[in-house]
């Protein structure tokens, strides 16, 4: 079973290089059950930007679920505070979607906050709802949680701070038996499993995967990546594959496998 992870389209930005060749072939070859999109669909939270990004994502074929990022909030006042999610919800109905199938539970969390500019935080109610959903799910079902803000830091970028209160979030998600946490925001890819940084954790693996940018809002900037990730959930193993656009071609740049 495969899940495709796209993040940070930034539609409407100056760069406007969203996606690239080879994506349709990858989807056809791997037939993902679902596409998860971890925010920053728009560059400035404008209606037409969110509309265009949504149309683009829905044209790919598989079912798509999305959460907002900090760039999906209106930049203008008072809209940013009086109706922060209006345009996003117009397209997606909710900022915290759920997908369930026989083998997979996917929970989207909204970590963008109107009063924060860049950084992210989850609401307590979201975490509690997630804990209930996880508790009601049979143990053999794979659990994927996705949100815009990263929990593990970027490999090559220091400015963007990880999710606020991440230690508590990690604990709650680990208690619920989450297999993989997928995020974006930093436009760089990284994958790390809890045992690689946290001594004394339980036996179950908990993978933190951050996707490269699907868009390229600042095409001249170094220190960003342009690509996507693909997750595999198979009996006894979870895999993370990172694909990067390089010279007009979508290339597999790395793959990691984690026993479950
Ligand atoms: Fe972004
Ligand atoms: Fe962001």
């Amino acid at each position: 079973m495969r899940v495709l992870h796209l993040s940070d389209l930034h539609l409407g930005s100056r760069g406007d290089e969203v996606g690239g060749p080879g994506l349709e072939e990858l989807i056809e070859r791997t037939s993902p059950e679902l596409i998860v999109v971890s925010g920053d669909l728009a560059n400035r939270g404008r209606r037409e930007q969110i509309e265009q990004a949504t149309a683009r994502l829905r044209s790919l074929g598989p079912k798509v679920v999305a959460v907002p990022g900090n760039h999906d909030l209106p930049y203008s006042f008072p809209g940013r505070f009086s109706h922060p999610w209006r345009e996003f919800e117009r397209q997606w109905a909710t900022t915290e979607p759920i997908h369930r199938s026989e083998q997979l539970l996917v929970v989207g969390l909204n970590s963008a906050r109107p009063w924060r500019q860049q950084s992210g935080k989850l609401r307590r109610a979201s975490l509690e709802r997630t804990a209930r959903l996880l508790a009601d799910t049979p143990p053999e079902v794979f659990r994927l949680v996705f949100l815009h803000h990263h929990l593990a830091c970027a490999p090559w970028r220091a400015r963007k701070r990880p999710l606020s209160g991440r230690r508590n979030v990690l604990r709650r998600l680990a208690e619920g038996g989450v297999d993989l946490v997928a995020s974006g925001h930093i436009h760089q890819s990284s994958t790390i499993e809890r045992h690689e940084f946290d001594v004394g954790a339980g036996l179950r693996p908990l993978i933190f995967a951050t996707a490269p940018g699907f868009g390229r809002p600042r095409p001249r900037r170094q220190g960003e990546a342009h690509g996507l990730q693909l997750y595999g959930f198979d009996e006894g193993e979870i895999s993370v594959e990172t694909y990067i656009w390089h010279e007009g071609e979508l290339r597999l740049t790395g793959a990691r496998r984690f026993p479950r």
Side-chain angles (χ1 to χ4, degrees):
M1 187 205 350
R2 297 287 172 269
V3 173
L4 187 67
H5 177 196
L6 311 179
S7 197
D8 297 84
L9 285 72
H10 287 269
L11 220 112
S13 68
R14 256 185 310 135
D16 243 359
E17 195 181 337
V18 181
L23 177 60
E24 281 75 12
E25 289 96 302
L26 180 73
I27 290 173
E28 208 176 291
R29 180 164 60 78
T30 57
S31 40
E33 168 174 325
L34 186 72
I35 299 176
V36 298
V37 183
S38 57
D40 285 358
L41 279 66
N43 202 45
R44 281 185 163 264
R46 296 206 178 110
R47 177 183 293 191
E48 68 278 10
Q49 293 174 349
I50 294 180
E51 268 175 15
Q52 284 169 24
T54 303
R56 178 79 178 269
L57 292 164
R58 292 206 171 123
S59 73
L60 293 172
K63 178 184 170 183
V64 190
V65 286
V67 294
N70 51 306
H71 281 263
D72 298 314
L73 283 155
Y75 270 44
S76 53
F77 298 93
R80 190 175 176 90
F81 296 99
S82 58
H83 46 80
W85 314 117
R86 187 168 72 188
E87 297 309 328
F88 192 88
E89 285 176 339
R90 197 191 295 276
Q91 299 299 324
W92 297 92
T94 173
T95 61
E96 299 202 318
I98 296 164
H99 166 85
R100 274 181 207 271
S101 66
E102 216 174 288
Q103 299 172 74
L104 183 66
L105 170 72
V106 175
V107 182
L109 296 172
N110 178 0
S111 60
R113 301 269 73 90
W115 60 90
R116 288 173 178 249
Q117 200 208 349
Q118 275 276 351
S119 63
K121 192 174 167 59
L122 295 176
R123 289 175 309 125
R124 191 182 300 168
S126 302
L127 275 173
E128 273 156 19
R129 173 173 168 261
T130 306
R132 286 195 298 276
L133 278 164
L134 291 164
D136 289 344
T137 301
E140 66 276 12
V141 172
F142 287 104
R143 295 132 196 259
L144 187 160
V145 167
F146 72 108
L147 69 164
H148 182 61
H149 292 84
H150 54 297
L151 275 83
C153 288
W156 204 256
R157 184 172 213 167
R159 275 243 201 100
K160 290 194 175 181
R161 294 163 64 86
L163 183 78
S164 172
R166 64 178 173 164
R167 180 44 76 175
N168 177 48
V169 174
L170 181 151
R171 183 180 58 78
R172 299 293 298 266
L173 298 180
E175 281 169 5
V178 170
D179 295 289
L180 194 148
V181 180
S183 55
H185 186 52
I186 43 185
H187 305 196
Q188 289 183 358
S189 163
S190 77
T191 302
I192 190 163
E193 195 277 312
R194 188 183 177 188
H195 293 82
E196 295 171 324
F197 65 87
D198 205 11
V199 74
L203 272 180
R204 226 182 137 104
L206 174 50
I207 302 157
F208 295 91
T210 308
F214 187 65
R216 235 185 133 194
R218 294 159 291 247
R220 277 195 291 276
R221 184 186 275 187
Q222 300 267 296
E224 296 205 341
H226 187 211
L228 52 93
Q229 303 220 124
L230 184 72
Y231 307 126
F233 299 92
D234 300 296
E235 211 186 312
E237 185 178 284
I238 297 169
S239 65
V240 177
E241 292 182 349
T242 306
Y243 292 81
I244 297 293
W245 274 288
H246 180 73
E247 294 178 351
E249 210 185 300
L250 185 62
R251 293 186 183 178
L252 175 69
T253 191
R256 294 196 75 189
R257 290 156 48 221
F258 302 91
R260 190 197 197 217

